């Protein structure tokens, strides 16, 4: 049920992300810009799973006080969706992320792979003491 909650199919992406925010251990808010619209079921599921994994990483590793899910809908017909997961946690360096991957913690690699398979891009911005922002851009 957590992999594909019924709220995603019944009510759409934004209510599902709101539900996800309430499930996070870190206080998380949802912010939306652009005209809300339904995306393809595959894209909605991909966005949901990306946000779910990113928030799990925040809860496990960031030691953050707050997090945000920022969804920006592009203009139709080609407009995709951009989702940024931001936290005010401890952040990390590229070297620390690489060391985590070498130790078998594949969260960021898995996120990058999922985004690439969906035809999108992933941008990671992080620095020690400055938090982290993961930005997923997916086609419409």
């Amino acid at each position: 049920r957590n992999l594909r909650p019924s709220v995603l199919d019944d009510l759409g992406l934004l209510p599902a992300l709101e539900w996800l925010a309430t499930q996070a251990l870190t206080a998380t808010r949802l912010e939306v810009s652009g005209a809300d619209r339904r995306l393809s079921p595959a894209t909605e599921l991909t966005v949901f799973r990306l946000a779910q994994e990113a928030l799990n990483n925040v809860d496990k590793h960031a030691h953050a006080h707050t997090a945000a899910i920022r969804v920006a809908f592009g203009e139709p017909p080609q407009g995709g969706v951009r989702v940024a997961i931001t936290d005010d946690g401890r952040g990390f360096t590229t070297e620390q992320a690489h060391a985590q991957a070498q130790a078998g913690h594949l969260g960021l690699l898995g996120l990058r792979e999922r985004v690439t398979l969906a035809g999108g891009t992933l941008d990671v911005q992080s620095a020690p003491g400055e938090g982290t922002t993961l930005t997923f851009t997916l086609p419409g």
Side-chain angles (χ1 to χ4, degrees):
R1 182 173 292 145
N2 284 342
L3 297 180
R4 186 178 184 99
S6 61
V7 68
L8 184 60
D9 290 326
D10 297 343
L11 301 177
L13 180 61
L14 295 181
L17 292 176
E18 184 69 41
W19 173 81
L20 196 60
T22 67
Q23 301 302 301
L25 299 176
T26 305
T28 302
R29 67 187 178 280
L30 175 64
E31 301 172 6
V32 181
S33 63
D36 174 18
R37 66 180 190 284
R38 291 301 300 253
L39 304 169
S40 73
T43 300
E44 287 188 349
L45 179 59
T46 298
V47 169
F48 178 83
R49 293 299 309 276
L50 291 169
Q52 184 179 46
E53 180 64 24
L55 289 176
N56 283 338
N57 287 343
V58 170
D59 286 344
K60 289 180 186 175
H61 305 294
H63 301 281
H65 294 100
T66 63
I69 305 168
R70 293 184 175 97
V71 180
F73 290 99
E75 292 295 320
Q78 292 102 317
V81 64
R82 185 179 72 246
V83 179
I85 309 294
T86 303
D87 70 67
D88 63 0
R90 64 183 181 178
F92 56 86
T93 64
T94 303
E95 293 78 21
Q96 288 170 321
H98 183 69
Q100 286 288 321
Q102 292 295 322
H105 300 279
L106 304 175
L108 280 177
L109 291 176
L111 289 171
R112 189 171 304 281
E113 182 176 281
R114 188 180 295 272
V115 169
T116 300
L117 288 171
T121 60
L122 169 62
D123 179 60
V124 179
Q125 298 291 321
S126 188
E130 297 182 21
T132 301
T133 299
L134 303 179
T135 304
F136 314 102
T137 305
L138 298 170

